């Protein structure tokens, strides 16, 4: 049976303190949070395999730096959702604002609606699956991990990216510096199918996606690439 | 050639040479730089801080005590030096024994033993050291009693466990050597360990972002800082580090964003690798920046409530004492700490010569070939450096800085270095008087305020 926390009666500080009681214990528990009303910094710094269901919209940095926990936002999320996540699962049933999954090192972030600009900025190993579309400058300087977009991608996708792999089903408005389309091999289809399955997304055929990654031309300075900087 | 003709020839040659006139616009150093740029096609990247002359604490003097002021007895009467940082919001403020901290320098820019030595030295002296743009190493945590963990735009190695292991958190907005610039670590120094900590391919030229990925200004930085406080149970002091630019407003905005401590780095502040043009031409000197930061804190009634740490060209106990007299709560050292560890040591002169440099001039820290084994990721070079000896040297140096600052404080009749005040200072130059807002020596004139 899950515990219920009403933010209309309590505070972010108290909620997070309760959730942090499980940190490092390895204990599992289930929490339901109601009346979030766009509050910032909900369920940040969790470090236990607990589940947290937030019934409504959240503000900045929800589930920031998450480890092991499974956080579901039944609504939209503000900027920086699951920023610097290490592991676990964060699911947004609505849409997410800017910098979703910024610098995240691991785990899975699922956005069932759309994501705004800079989705997956500087991502460092996280997997991000967006059912809808993503905004401009997404996967900017993305270092590693995988970004899957079932809809369209905005301008300058993957600008200055490193070793992250990007999969897009719809249109790409434009590629950023050093980001190129790469062949979709069987191993990539397999990895994509697995990711879609983990994200619980049905009706998207891995064969319909295109793959993008780094041309690796900006890895070491070359004066003849100066126009690209 | 007959002797007479040879003598005339030599005289003519000498006369011609003595008529050579170096251009003020194109001196030999400028010509050499143009030639280098034309040859390589890349701007000059180097370590160290600004090398140009700017007004500094050397342009200020203490008045001392005499008939109208009463000094303290050297060695016999106490002059305290302790500093508390983070009294605004943090449940666990930092307590330092001395008003000098060690600034952020990355593992990557420095070798692991060098980082260890900084921790050892700071710990012996009773002060803090700081991580850098490359995450926290176990060696550093183990040997640093008080460790400040930096949150930088790149977020290399950032993780909640290290956040909770840290004693304070420093949100780095900028640094004095390059306000508005991001980090840089060239391929030579991206060893497999450095690459793994940063999630990057080994051997690439790493250029970090200059803007944070998940906030853009003071309004959302406030929320970001609350996130960090939530993650760490509101225990840790949170610093905001700014490079000296529009310092009055930047300090005020740092206070608004919720900083416990503002760290202000003037343009003389060091860097491991930055474009020379950036180091020398962006930002303002430490002297005027410090005054602006103190004014901002005073105008907000936050002076001493939000603590101020100033860095950028701190070398001596006189610099420390003058910075405190102008209103800083503590100072921070970077380049000076590396020199104390052994950087630019004369014993490596032959090695420096082989790198076309010389002890006292070596600044190619980005190349990773440091003969002193400090700014390198080369195992053989790093093995030259003894972290225990290095730590001891740094502790000695920190103690000398403190003893010197105490000497000056006692001379001005102060029982705590924080009791030093601008009234104890005068300026030697009109520029320094204007920038520090203390009177020109022998007058009561501060340029812009009243008549000479």
């Amino acid at each position: 049976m899950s515990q219920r926390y009403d933010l209309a009666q309590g505070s972010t500080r108290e909620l997070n303190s309760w959730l942090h009681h499980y940190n490092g214990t390895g204990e599992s528990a289930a929490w339901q949070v109601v009346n979030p009303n766009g509050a910032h910094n909900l369920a940040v710094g969790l470090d236990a395999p607990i589940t947290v269901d937030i019934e409504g919209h959240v503000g900045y940095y929800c589930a920031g730096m998450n480890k092991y926990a499974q956080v579901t936002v039944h609504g939209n999320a503000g900027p920086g959702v699951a920023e610097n996540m290490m592991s676990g699962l964060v699911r947004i049933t609505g849409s997410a604002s800017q910098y979703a999954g910024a610098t995240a090192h691991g785990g899975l972030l699922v956005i069932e609606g759309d994501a705004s600009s800079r989705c997956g900025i500087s991502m460092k190993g996280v997997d991000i699956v967006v059912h809808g579309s993503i905004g401009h400058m997404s996967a900017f300087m993305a270092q590693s991990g995988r970004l899957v977009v079932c809809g369209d991608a905005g301008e300058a996708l993957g600008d200055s990216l490193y070793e992250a792999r990007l999969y897009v089903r719809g249109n790409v408005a434009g590629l950023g510096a050093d980001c190129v389309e790469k062949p979709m091999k069987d191993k990539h289809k397999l990895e994509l199918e697995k990711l879609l399955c983990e994200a619980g997304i049905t009706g998207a055929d891995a064969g319909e996606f295109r793959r993008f990654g780094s041309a690796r031309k900006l890895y070491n300075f070359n004066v003849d690439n100066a126009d690209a900087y | 050639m007959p002797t007479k003709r040879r003598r005339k020839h030599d005289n003519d040659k000498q006369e011609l040479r003595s008529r050579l006139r170096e251009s003020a616009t194109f001196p030999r150093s400028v010509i050499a730089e143009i030639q280098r740029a034309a040859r390589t096609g890349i701007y000059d990247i180097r370590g160290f801080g600004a090398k140009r002359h700017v007004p500094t604490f050397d342009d200020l003097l203490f008045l001392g005590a005499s008939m109208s002021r009463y000094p303290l007895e050297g060695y016999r009467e106490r002059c305290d030096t302790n500093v508390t940082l983070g009294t605004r919001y943090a449940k666990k403020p930092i307590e330092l024994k001395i008003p000098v901290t060690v600034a952020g320098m990355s593992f990557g820019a420095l070798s692991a033993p060098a980082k260890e030595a900084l921790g050892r030295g700071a710990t012996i002296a009773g002060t803090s050291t700081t991580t850098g743009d490359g995450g926290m190493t176990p060696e550093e945590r183990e040997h640093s009693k008080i460790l400040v963990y930096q949150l930088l735009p790149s977020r290399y190695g950032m993780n909640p466990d290290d956040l909770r292991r840290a004693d304070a958190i420093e949100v780095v907005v900028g640094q004095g050597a390059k306000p508005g610039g991001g980090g840089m670590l060239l391929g030579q120094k991206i060893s497999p360990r450095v690459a793994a900590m940063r999630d990057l391919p080994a051997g690439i030229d790493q250029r970090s972002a200059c803007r944070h990925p998940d906030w853009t200004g003071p309004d959302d930085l406030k929320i970001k800082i609350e996130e960090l406080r939530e993650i760490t149970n509101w225990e840790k002091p949170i610093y905001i580090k700014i490079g000296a630019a529009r310092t009055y407003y930047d300090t005020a905005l740092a206070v608004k964003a919720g900083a416990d401590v503002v760290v202000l780095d003037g343009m003389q502040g060091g860097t491991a690798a930055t474009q020379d043009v950036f180091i020398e031409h962006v930002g303002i000197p430490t002297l005027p920046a410090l005054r602006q930061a103190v004014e901002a804190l005073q105008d907000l009634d936050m002076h001493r409530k939000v603590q101020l740490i100033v860095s950028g060209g701190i070398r001596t106990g006189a610099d420390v004492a003058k910075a405190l007299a102008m209103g800083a709560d503590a100072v921070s050292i970077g380049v000076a700490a590396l020199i104390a560890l052994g950087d630019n040591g004369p014993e490596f002169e032959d090695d420096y010569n082989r790198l076309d440099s010389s002890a006292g001039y070596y600044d190619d820290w980005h190349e990773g070939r440091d003969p002193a084994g400090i700014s390198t990721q080369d195992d053989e070079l790093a093995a030259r450096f003894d972290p225990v000896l290095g730590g001891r040297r740094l502790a000695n140096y920190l103690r000398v800085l403190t003893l010197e600052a105490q000497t000056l404080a006692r001379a001005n009749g102060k029982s705590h270095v924080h009791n030093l005040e601008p009234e104890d200072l005068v300026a030697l130059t009109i520029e320094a008087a204007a920038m520090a807002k203390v009177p020109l020596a022998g007058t009561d004139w501060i340029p812009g305020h009243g008549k000479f």
Side-chain angles (χ1 to χ4, degrees), chain A residues 13 16 20 40-41 45 60-61 64 67 83-84 86 99 105 124 141 143 162 218-221 223, chain B residues 41-42 154-156 158-159 161 164 198-199 203-205 207 213-214 223-224 226-227 230 233-234:
Chain A
R13 180 77 282 260
N16 286 334
H20 289 174
H40 306 310
N41 301 322
Y60 275 69
Y61 310 127
K67 281 177 78 183
E83 69 85 23
N84 212 82
M86 307 303 291
Y99 346 118
H105 288 69
K124 295 169 169 55
M141 294 184 90
Q143 295 176 217
Y162 296 97
L218 302 183
Y219 276 14
N220 291 96
F221 184 84
V223 66
Chain B
I42 184 170
S154 68
R155 310 281 165 88
Y156 293 136
M158 170 51 56
N159 69 82
D161 300 326
R164 287 186 273 254
R198 298 181 186 219
D199 297 283
I204 67 158
D205 290 343
R207 291 156 291 119
D214 55 358
I223 304 169
K224 183 78 203 170
E226 278 167 10
E227 185 205 7
E230 282 294 321
N233 195 30
W234 289 73

Side-chain angles (χ1 to χ4, degrees), chain A:
Chain A
M1 184 173 146
S2 75
Q3 314 223 41
R4 192 166 183 274
Y5 190 88
D6 186 352
L7 273 165
Q9 310 292 324
S11 67
T12 301
R13 180 77 282 260
E14 189 183 56
L15 169 65
N16 286 334
S17 298
W18 277 112
L19 300 178
H20 289 174
H21 281 311
Y22 303 96
N23 279 6
T25 63
E27 277 180 43
S28 61
W31 281 74
Q32 186 194 33
V33 179
V34 297
N35 292 314
N37 285 327
H40 306 310
N41 301 322
L42 296 180
V44 297
L46 305 189
D47 186 5
I50 61 175
T51 63
V52 180
D53 281 88
I54 303 176
E55 309 292 343
H57 308 311
V58 297
Y60 275 69
Y61 310 127
C62 181
M65 303 218 184
N66 186 54
K67 281 177 78 183
Y68 306 117
Q70 197 169 316
V71 179
T72 305
V73 175
H74 299 272
N76 300 323
V81 65
E83 69 85 23
N84 212 82
M85 172 162 61
M86 307 303 291
S87 61
L89 170 65
V90 176
R91 179 182 293 275
I92 312 300
T93 66
S95 292
S97 184
Q98 306 171 89
Y99 346 118
T103 77
H105 288 69
L108 175 64
L109 169 63
V110 181
I111 297 162
E112 295 184 358
D114 299 321
S116 182
S117 61
R118 296 169 195 266
C119 177
I121 182 171
S122 289
M123 53 194 274
K124 295 169 169 55
V126 68
D127 290 323
I128 303 176
V129 179
V130 182
H131 205 174
S133 299
I134 59 170
H136 62 267
M137 291 296 281
S138 287
F140 174 59
M141 294 184 90
Q143 295 176 217
S144 61
R146 297 161 298 184
L147 171 64
V148 179
V149 185
C150 300
D152 303 330
E155 292 283 354
L157 176 69
D159 193 283
S160 306
L161 88 169
Y162 296 97
E163 295 296 302
R165 293 197 285 283
L166 318 179
Y167 297 100
V168 184
R169 184 164 69 159
N171 293 322
V172 174
L175 295 176
D178 214 29
C179 182
V180 292
E181 183 167 353
K182 294 186 164 185
M184 193 74 181
K185 296 178 186 161
D186 286 344
K187 65 176 182 182
H188 300 119
K189 281 184 193 158
L190 273 174
E191 128 172 317
L192 181 53
E193 275 165 8
K194 197 162 164 264
L195 276 169
L196 289 167
C197 179
E198 279 173 30
I201 287 174
T202 52
D205 176 4
E208 296 167 353
F209 286 75
R210 289 185 292 158
R211 179 169 76 99
F212 302 88
S214 177
R216 304 187 179 104
K217 284 186 180 158
L218 302 183
Y219 276 14
N220 291 96
F221 184 84
N222 178 339
V223 66
D224 295 322
N225 290 333
D227 290 348
Y229 288 101

Side-chain angles (χ1 to χ4, degrees), chain B residues 157-238:
Chain B
M158 170 51 56
N159 69 82
D161 300 326
D162 286 342
L163 267 182
R164 287 186 273 254
R165 261 194 282 275
D167 299 291
I169 299 161
E170 181 170 297
V171 178
V172 180
V173 178
Q175 77 186 79
K178 47 178 170 181
M184 198 183 257
L185 194 65
L186 301 190
Q188 304 90 305
K189 292 172 84 171
I190 309 276
S191 68
R193 184 178 174 196
V194 172
M197 275 184 74
R198 298 181 186 219
D199 297 283
L200 287 170
I204 67 158
D205 290 343
Q206 169 250 297
R207 291 156 291 119
S208 313
C210 61
R211 297 202 303 262
H212 280 261
D214 55 358
W215 60 268
T216 52
D219 295 324
D220 46 3
L221 175 55
K222 185 171 193 290
I223 304 169
K224 183 78 203 170
I225 285 177
E226 278 167 10
E227 185 205 7
L228 298 171
R229 292 197 194 277
E230 282 294 321
I231 291 171
T232 55
N233 195 30
W234 289 73
E235 288 175 356
K236 326 276 181 193
I238 299 199

